[in-house]
Amino acid sequence: MVLLCRLPAVLRRPGYKRVTPTARLSSKVTTKTQQYAPVVYSEEDVSRVHTLSLNEARQLFPHGVSSKLATEMEALGNGSWILRKESFEIITALNQESSTTPKFLLHGSTGCGKSVCMSQVMQWCSRAGWIIVHVPNVFDWTHSCHELRPSPHNPNTYDQPQESVQWLKNFRTTNSQLLSQIKLTKAHEWTKRERSEVNDDLSKVIEVGLIKPNIATDVVAMVMKIVAEQQDKKIVLAVDSFNGCFNPTSLKLGKEEWVSPHQLNLLTALLENTTRAVYPGAVLLALSRTKMYRHSVCGYSPEKLLGEKGCVSVSDCQWMQVPNLEREEMDTWLTASYHNKWINREPTESVSSELWHLTSGNPAELSRLSRAL
């Protein structure tokens, strides 16, 4: 009964039928081989536990990873996740030649693994030599802005210097080995004193925005435009919490004047790329319920989260619902976590049944409740 006592108190509520501990999961569940993700996946890799090294995570996700994965990496030196079926389907589509731009919209319940699926596709793209254009959370631009400056080009729109500088730093870190291969095809004058010349590589363009934060938003728009115009390289544009582009912001200019999303030049530059008919690679979008103003949304379906304008902007996307983990996937995760010494107690079938009853395979809830093990 020790295992049951270490689980949340909800398991010990009156009237709950306790399950007598039975066989260990490891005796019936074959631990999936842990391996570093290859460039080419097969169907056998689906539902296997794959490893993400600490160094790779620092380069690919400089903005950070989930708190659970970050803690695991600090303790073990690497993180692990289960390759989702949806990730494999997207990667398979990206491996095929197509006359149209593959565009995907991930949606699902909170904590089901949409961001993880996006991260797994980004990991594959990075290892395949693709350029990564990643916006980890649009709501950070619409709710957590540190500074707004009227644009010198249009005083009715606004630049976000600090957010732009941070994005440029992350983009440079993620694509550090590829920036020297991208050259400017024509000169660009930023200010009277700042100018980028023909054949300057992208790292020099980024440096302009880092040195001059006041024009960093313009540099972000230019970087996105230059990357989107590449003909000999593959690019994945990955945007999490994409519905933030169409939801009300929490940014105010005065006591009663609110800033609308279309007034933010960062969002304008982003939408110009996500709505391109032809993009040199793929576009991957995900919806999120977190950080939303609940009073501005009348429902949590994809259509309600996006609104009318948002639905129009993703009309050419393939919508993919990300479900919770299946029972076998959950058992595989528990077994692998025990072998990696992430959980101390070897899970039994009774514990697995109780966790399944509580979480229905939701990865976020499973991670939270498994701390008791």
Side-chain angles (χ1 to χ4, degrees):
M1 302 301 293
V2 175
L3 283 177
L4 292 176
C5 293
R6 292 178 61 86
L7 285 171
V10 67
L11 291 179
R12 304 189 294 276
R13 66 185 184 274
Y16 183 82
K17 182 179 180 181
R18 297 187 178 188
V19 182
T20 304
T22 54
R24 297 172 178 176
L25 281 182
S26 57
S27 64
K28 293 189 176 184
V29 177
T30 303
T31 304
K32 305 297 184 180
T33 304
Q34 285 198 333
Q35 58 182 353
Y36 287 97
V39 173
V40 180
Y41 283 115
S42 66
E43 291 188 8
E44 296 179 354
D45 294 311
V46 177
S47 298
R48 290 195 180 191
V49 179
H50 294 269
T51 303
L52 176 67
S53 68
L54 181 59
N55 290 335
E56 187 177 22
R58 286 173 176 172
Q59 177 180 352
L60 192 55
F61 310 110
H63 59 279
V65 294
S66 65
S67 58
K68 180 264 176 185
L69 194 58
T71 305
E72 182 180 353
M73 286 184 170
E74 291 177 2
L76 305 178
N78 57 58
S80 59
W81 52 26
I82 289 179
L83 179 65
R84 305 298 299 273
K85 178 183 177 182
E86 293 71 29
S87 303
F88 174 72
E89 291 177 353
I90 294 174
I91 292 171
T92 301
L94 299 188
N95 259 325
Q96 300 174 351
E97 294 294 334
S98 175
S99 57
T100 59
T101 301
K103 293 185 178 183
F104 302 92
L105 178 70
L106 302 176
H107 63 94
S109 60
T110 301
C112 67
K114 301 180 292 295
S115 298
V116 169
C117 287
M118 178 176 289
S119 299
Q120 290 174 347
V121 175
M122 288 171 56
Q123 183 189 42
W124 176 87
C125 290
S126 177
R127 294 188 172 195
W130 288 41
I131 297 173
I132 311 296
V133 181
H134 185 208
V135 178
N137 193 340
V138 172
F139 288 119
D140 287 341
W141 292 353
T142 60
H143 293 321
S144 305
C145 180
H146 295 85
E147 180 184 10
L148 281 178
R149 285 177 177 254
S151 171
H153 313 295
N154 183 356
N156 292 324
T157 62
Y158 300 92
D159 294 341
Q160 297 167 279
Q162 294 189 39
E163 284 71 21
S164 300
V165 167
Q166 188 60 53
W167 187 89
L168 290 172
K169 289 180 179 179
N170 293 342
F171 179 82
R172 183 177 62 177
T173 300
T174 302
N175 304 282
S176 57
Q177 300 178 354
L178 302 173
L179 297 181
S180 60
Q181 303 174 18
I182 304 176
K183 308 288 185 179
L184 284 182
T185 56
K186 59 181 180 180
H188 185 83
E189 184 175 309
W190 304 101
T191 64
K192 293 181 178 180
R193 296 183 179 181
E194 299 295 335
R195 178 183 174 89
S196 295
E197 302 295 342
V198 178
N199 291 328
D200 279 356
D201 59 50
L202 203 55
S203 60
K204 292 184 178 180
V205 176
I206 292 174
E207 194 66 28
V208 173
L210 298 181
I211 295 175
K212 299 288 187 180
N214 290 346
I215 61 173
T217 301
D218 290 342
V219 175
V220 170
M222 178 60 71
V223 168
M224 289 185 176
K225 180 181 178 181
I226 293 173
V227 169
E229 292 174 349
Q230 297 299 303
Q231 300 294 330
D232 57 343
K233 291 179 174 57
K234 293 286 190 178
I235 297 96
V236 59
L237 175 58
V239 184
D240 208 343
S241 304
F242 179 67
N243 47 304
C245 295
F246 310 99
N247 293 160
T249 75
S250 60
L251 309 179
K252 296 182 71 174
L253 299 175
K255 293 184 178 179
E256 297 182 357
E257 185 178 1
W258 295 84
V259 178
S260 62
H262 73 270
Q263 290 180 285
L264 299 177
N265 291 322
L266 278 178
L267 294 187
T268 301
L270 179 62
L271 290 173
E272 286 177 356
N273 286 271
T274 58
T275 55
R276 280 176 177 263
V278 178
Y279 196 82
V283 176
L284 182 59
L285 312 174
L287 305 183
S288 175
R289 302 178 184 180
T290 59
K291 291 191 176 182
M292 289 182 61
Y293 277 160
R294 297 298 190 267
H295 68 269
S296 65
V297 180
C298 55
Y300 293 112
S301 65
E303 294 83 1
K304 298 295 185 181
L305 293 176
L306 285 166
E308 184 178 351
K309 291 184 178 179
C311 289
V312 172
S313 69
V314 298
S315 58
D316 56 345
C317 292
Q318 178 182 344
W319 292 31
M320 300 183 69
Q321 182 173 4
V322 180
N324 290 335
L325 295 174
E326 296 181 359
R327 178 65 181 273
E328 182 180 356
E329 291 177 321
M330 188 193 75
D331 290 345
T332 298
W333 183 86
L334 288 172
T335 304
S337 296
Y338 172 72
H339 288 314
N340 288 337
K341 302 186 183 303
W342 184 243
I343 58 177
N344 296 322
R345 302 281 184 172
E346 184 172 5
T348 63
E349 287 190 15
S350 62
V351 172
S352 172
S353 298
E354 290 164 356
L355 286 174
W356 181 258
H357 171 76
L358 286 173
T359 66
S360 299
N362 184 274
E365 289 298 308
L366 177 63
S367 176
R368 182 177 66 85
L369 294 181
S370 63
R371 296 173 187 172
L373 300 177

